[in-house]
Amino acid sequence: MKFRPLHDRVVVKRIESEEKTKGGIIIPDTAKEKPQEGQVVAVGPGARDESGKLVALDVKAGDRVLFGKWSGTEVKLDGQDLLIMKESDIMGVLGK
């Protein structure tokens, strides 16, 4: 992908949720909610503090993250549906 986010922005690819419940019930597309879990694809260099110093981001490409339901701006790059959001919209990184 030839896209580099600026400042404290992060590019995230949503991780699709399961199509079946644990009980085996198939969920139709119309009833599915957009997943709030994704994988970081690219990160910006960081934000600047009051003194002008660059503050690096806590997330990196490849991290699996949780974000708010209405977080980010949906874009299509290289045929992929992605989200661009500020690092502050990310609630946390999921462990491995």
Side-chain angles (χ1 to χ4, degrees):
M1 175 175 60
K2 297 206 179 232
F3 180 81
R4 183 177 53 92
L6 299 176
H7 309 294
D8 61 341
R9 288 188 173 73
V10 178
V11 180
V12 176
K13 181 179 181 183
R14 285 187 198 269
I15 296 174
E16 293 302 320
S17 58
E18 295 292 321
E19 294 185 13
K20 284 186 182 179
T21 64
K22 290 181 182 177
I25 299 171
I26 297 174
I27 304 168
D29 288 338
T30 54
K32 283 185 188 175
E33 288 190 21
K34 288 187 177 181
Q36 294 174 259
E37 185 177 327
Q39 184 170 16
V40 176
V41 177
V43 296
R48 298 216 178 258
D49 62 11
E50 287 94 30
S51 65
K53 278 189 174 179
L54 192 64
V55 179
L57 302 181
D58 289 331
V59 296
K60 62 187 179 308
D63 283 349
R64 216 173 152 134
V65 296
L66 288 177
F67 49 88
K69 193 171 201 168
W70 307 108
S71 298
T73 302
E74 294 181 357
V75 296
K76 193 166 200 147
L77 295 171
D78 294 337
Q80 291 184 338
D81 291 323
L82 301 169
L83 286 167
I84 298 176
M85 64 182 72
K86 287 194 167 261
E87 184 189 36
S88 59
D89 291 338
I90 295 174
M91 291 186 258
V93 178
L94 294 168
K96 294 182 180 182

